[in-house]
Every structure is written in structure tokens, then in C-alpha cells.
Amino acid sequence: MINRLQTLGRWGLIRFERLGRGSLFLMQVLAGLPALLLRPRLALQQVYATGVLSLVIIIVSGLFVGMVLGLQGYNTLVDFGAEESLGVLVALSLVRELGPVIAALLFAGRAGSALTAEIGLMKATEQLSAMEMMAVDPLARVIAPRLLGGFIAMPLLAAMFSAVGVFGGYFVGVGLLGVDDGSFWSQMQSKVELQEDILNGVIKSVVFGFVVTWIAVFEGYDTVPTSEGISRATTRTVVNSSLAVLGLDFVLTALMFGDF
Amino acid sequence: MMQTKTLEIAVGLFVAAGLAALFVLAMKVSNLTAFTDDTGYQLVAKFENIGSLKVGAPVSIAGVRVGRVGSIGIDHTTHEAVVKLNINKEYTDIPADTGASVLTAGLLGEQYIALEPGGDVKALKAGDEIKLTQPALILEKIIGQFLFSKAQEGPTKQ
């Protein structure tokens, strides 16, 4: 019994230690951000690596998620003769929830894992130590641009996901199933609020982008410098950031749309 | 390492596309502004009650869509709803004694305006008012009237 308690206690302490290490790491990286203003190209390259290269999966997924929403929503709404509300259904689900969340999950799988593997390999091949030897701070030179790049890229990807998804729903609803064009847009425009829905969606995607990139760079930097360690760190990035996104999504939704 | 110029162009395009998506969400999906096609002419109709009619709702004749609701306002003297109808330019021959009523598509569906053409040889011109109008049916009022009339009949005999 005492042994079990001890195991639980050790597990808890290790978690807290890791969380603390992650926070200290974040502080150090944030301290390295101002130096980045002198060399914005470093961040630019990371926006390319995390953002531009994730475009295909984000746009294709957005289109198909929107199209499926259109089909499923139509089938349900048509029973009530309310198929004109399809636009509202598609737009609200995408802008409030699916856009930020699915974009963040895809971003964690596509860009987060790559960040972790890249930084982990740099550590395993002692490139980070070599930088320290040359009095170059790897946190400012390697980590900070990646954090900033992911932070910039993620909200833009989420916005594209939602916009493409709305057009996917429009294509299926209006193009294939025959919902009235004007009702689709006018109902959507009368129900979707700029502040309440779109701004909150953008805030969500900013938070998710920050958390996913933070977890990815920290797991990479904190990896055990072996090939097995890198593979575990990459897995942990995807699992932990997905869990963090889903958990945070509930908290943010409760704060934004709940009444407490 | 990629060419700097290509990289910058790619990132520039990416950021532009992201901002464009935000712009589309703000303009087209939410209610900041309406992209109305202003090819056609406008008619005015005053209703006692328009229910939950919205800007952009269809205007139809015999079930065929001929235009959209352009704007909704209120008449400050009569306190009637003033609805401006944007009619597409190919439907120029709507008779002058046409009536307009606010109907509902389906039981719970969206409300729209149906025009019932009369027999006048003169056609409505841009800016003309449709005189014959029927307000929207408010379901609660009808149920209320029904219950009231039932109650007046007295208790039903077993």
C-alpha cells in the first residue's frame, strides 16, 4: 500500500517537475524573442516550414469536413423543412469548434512532430552543444524562431480551414442538394456574429497554436538524445498536444460560450 | 537551403491567404456587409408585420425566385415595416396591382416574400410601392385565437 502511494507520489512529482521545466524553458525562449527582431528571416523560414508546408493537408481536410457537414446537416435539417439553416450550421460548427480544433490536431501531427524530431536530432548529434561552445544561445537561435513561426502560422491555417470548409458546405448544400443560395448566406450572416463567434474562434486558434508549438519544441529540446528517445519524444508531442488542444478547447468554450 | 526570394514569396502568399480567409470569414460569413448584386431595380412594400424576415431572403412569383430582400426598415409615422425588394432586371413586367405577402417555407423554415401578380397592363417601375400587402402569419397569434374561439364555444358535450 505504502509502495503504491510512493509510486503515485513519484509519478506526480515527475509530472510537476516536467511542467516546471517546460515553463522555465518557455521563459528562457521568450527572453530570446527580442533578439529575433534583428533577424526576422529565421522566423520566416519557420513560417514556411510549419505553415506553407501544412497548407495542403489543412485545405483538403477543411474542404472535406465542410462537405461532410453539408451532407449530414442537410439530411437532418430537411426532415424539419429547415434546410435553409444549413449555412448557419456549417459556419458555426466550423468557426467556433472544428476549424481551430481540427486545424490544431493536424498541425500537431504535421508540423509539431517535425519540429520535435528536428530539434531532437540536433540534440542527439550534439549540434545544440556545439552552438553553446561557440557562445551561440541555441534557445534564441533555434528554438525561439520555431516557437514564433508556429505561433504565427497556426491561426492563419485555422482561418483557412474554416473558410475553405464553409465553401465545401456551400458546394454540397447549394451546388448538389439544392438549398437556396441566398438563404444559405443570409441566414449564415444573420446568425454568425463577428465578435462572439469569429473572434473567439481566432482566440482559440492562437491559444492552440501557442500550446502545440510550445509542447513540440520542449519535447524536442528535452528529448533523451538517442534514436529511441527521439521517436518517443515525437510520439509524446502528438499525443500530449492533441490532449492539450481537446482539453483546452473545453475550457475555452466554457469560458467563451458558457454562462459561468 | 531554399532560395531566399522563393521562400519569401511562399511565406508572403501564405500570410496573404490566411488574412484573406479571415477577411472572408468576417465579411461573407458574419454580418459585416452583404455582397448584393445590384443589377436590377428596387420595389418598396410596407407590411404590418414581417415576422422574422431577413435581409437577403428570396422574393418569388409562383415559387420562382425573382429577387431578394434588399433592406428592412420601419416607417416612422405608421410604424409599419418598410421592405425594399431588389428585383432582377429580367423581370420588368410585374403588373402594378401585384400583391405581396410574407410566407414561410415549410413549417419551421425561413420566411420569404411571395408576389401575386394582378391583371394590370401597367408594370411596376423602379421605386414603386406595392400597395396590397399581407403580413406574416404569427403562429402564436393563430394558436391563441384558436384556443380563444374554442373556449368561447363552451365545454364540449361528452
Side-chain angles (χ1 to χ4, degrees):
Chain A
M1 186 66 196
I2 294 293
N3 273 342
R4 291 236 176 102
L5 268 181
Q6 196 186 351
T7 324
L8 183 70
R10 194 188 303 136
W11 181 82
L13 282 177
I14 288 173
R15 297 289 128 184
F16 271 110
E17 194 210 328
R18 238 180 119 64
L19 189 65
R21 210 137 29 98
S23 309
L24 284 178
F25 168 81
L26 182 65
M27 291 297 149
Q28 286 167 346
V29 175
L30 289 182
L33 276 182
L36 205 58
L37 291 176
L38 297 175
R39 281 185 295 178
R41 180 145 301 141
L42 289 175
L44 201 71
Q45 279 166 359
Q46 295 311 317
V47 175
Y48 180 81
T50 51
V52 179
L53 296 181
S54 310
L55 263 182
V56 174
I57 188 167
I58 290 284
I59 286 179
V60 171
S61 318
L63 191 67
F64 278 95
V65 166
M67 281 161 62
V68 167
L69 273 178
L71 266 179
Q72 295 283 12
Y74 180 83
N75 284 339
T76 312
L77 289 174
V78 77
D79 289 345
F80 303 101
E83 65 267 26
E84 288 86 3
S85 305
L86 187 67
V88 188
L89 181 127
V90 170
L92 277 188
S93 0
L94 277 168
V95 168
R96 282 187 175 182
E97 291 294 334
L98 294 178
V101 172
I102 297 185
L105 295 179
L106 292 172
F107 184 75
R110 167 64 187 75
S113 57
L115 280 179
T116 306
E118 189 186 10
I119 297 171
L121 197 67
M122 280 186 181
K123 190 180 179 188
T125 52
E126 298 185 338
Q127 294 180 43
L128 297 182
S129 317
M131 278 186 174
E132 276 171 12
M133 294 291 289
M134 295 188 292
V136 176
D137 182 7
L139 287 179
R141 179 67 178 73
V142 174
I143 309 291
R146 283 169 173 73
L147 190 74
L148 187 66
F151 184 62
I152 294 172
M154 174 54 209
L156 297 175
L157 287 173
M160 282 185 231
F161 187 98
S162 300
V164 169
V166 167
F167 282 100
Y170 172 80
F171 173 69
V172 167
V174 176
L176 300 181
L177 298 170
V179 175
D180 184 70
D181 191 3
S183 308
F184 186 89
W185 291 116
S186 69
Q187 291 249 333
M188 187 192 293
Q189 284 163 2
S190 66
K191 294 274 167 58
V192 180
E193 300 285 334
L194 183 68
Q195 299 241 321
E196 178 79 356
D197 299 315
I198 292 180
L199 202 65
N200 279 343
V202 172
I203 292 174
K204 272 188 182 178
S205 62
V206 168
V207 173
F208 295 162
F210 181 72
V211 169
V212 169
T213 331
W214 174 29
I215 291 177
V217 290
F218 176 64
E219 290 290 356
Y221 194 75
D222 199 48
T223 184
V224 181
T226 58
S227 45
E228 195 198 355
I230 295 174
S231 98
R232 281 194 181 183
T234 313
T235 311
R236 265 206 310 270
T237 295
V238 176
V239 172
N240 287 354
S241 47
S242 304
L243 289 178
V245 163
L246 294 170
L248 271 176
D249 181 50
F250 176 74
V251 175
L252 286 176
T253 307
L255 283 177
M256 287 166 176
F257 303 108
D259 287 329
F260 46 87
Chain B
M1 175 75 12
M2 203 169 186
Q3 286 284 308
T4 316
K5 201 175 167 190
T6 332
L7 179 96
E8 281 171 354
I9 292 171
V11 174
L13 280 178
F14 170 71
V15 174
L19 294 179
L22 272 180
F23 182 77
V24 166
L25 288 180
M27 291 305 195
K28 186 101 174 139
V29 175
S30 91
N31 46 0
L32 259 191
T33 177
F35 282 76
T36 48
D37 45 335
D38 47 7
T39 54
Y41 62 102
Q42 213 168 42
L43 298 177
V44 183
K46 291 181 181 169
F47 292 93
E48 192 184 308
N49 192 328
I50 55 166
S52 58
L53 190 75
K54 303 222 170 55
V55 172
V59 176
S60 62
I61 295 178
V64 179
R65 193 177 68 76
V66 296
R68 302 201 175 283
V69 172
S71 70
I72 294 172
I74 198 157
D75 187 320
H76 289 288
T77 50
T78 60
H79 299 290
E80 283 178 323
V82 180
V83 178
K84 296 207 168 124
L85 314 174
N86 293 331
I87 308 292
N88 292 4
K89 60 175 175 296
E90 64 250 52
Y91 305 103
T92 47
D93 43 3
I94 299 172
D97 57 348
T98 293
S101 43
V102 180
L103 299 181
T104 309
L107 195 56
L108 302 165
E110 196 203 6
Q111 289 188 306
Y112 67 99
I113 290 189
L115 299 181
E116 290 114 42
D120 205 320
V121 280
K122 279 191 292 180
L124 285 167
K125 295 185 300 296
D128 280 358
E129 189 188 330
I130 296 176
K131 293 286 192 315
L132 295 164
T133 62
Q134 271 193 330
L137 287 178
I138 310 292
L139 210 55
E140 291 89 327
K141 275 190 189 169
I142 299 169
I143 295 172
Q145 282 167 358
F146 176 74
L147 290 179
F148 186 69
S149 63
K150 273 287 177 198
Q152 276 193 327
E153 283 173 18
T156 48
K157 290 173 190 114
Q158 294 294 319

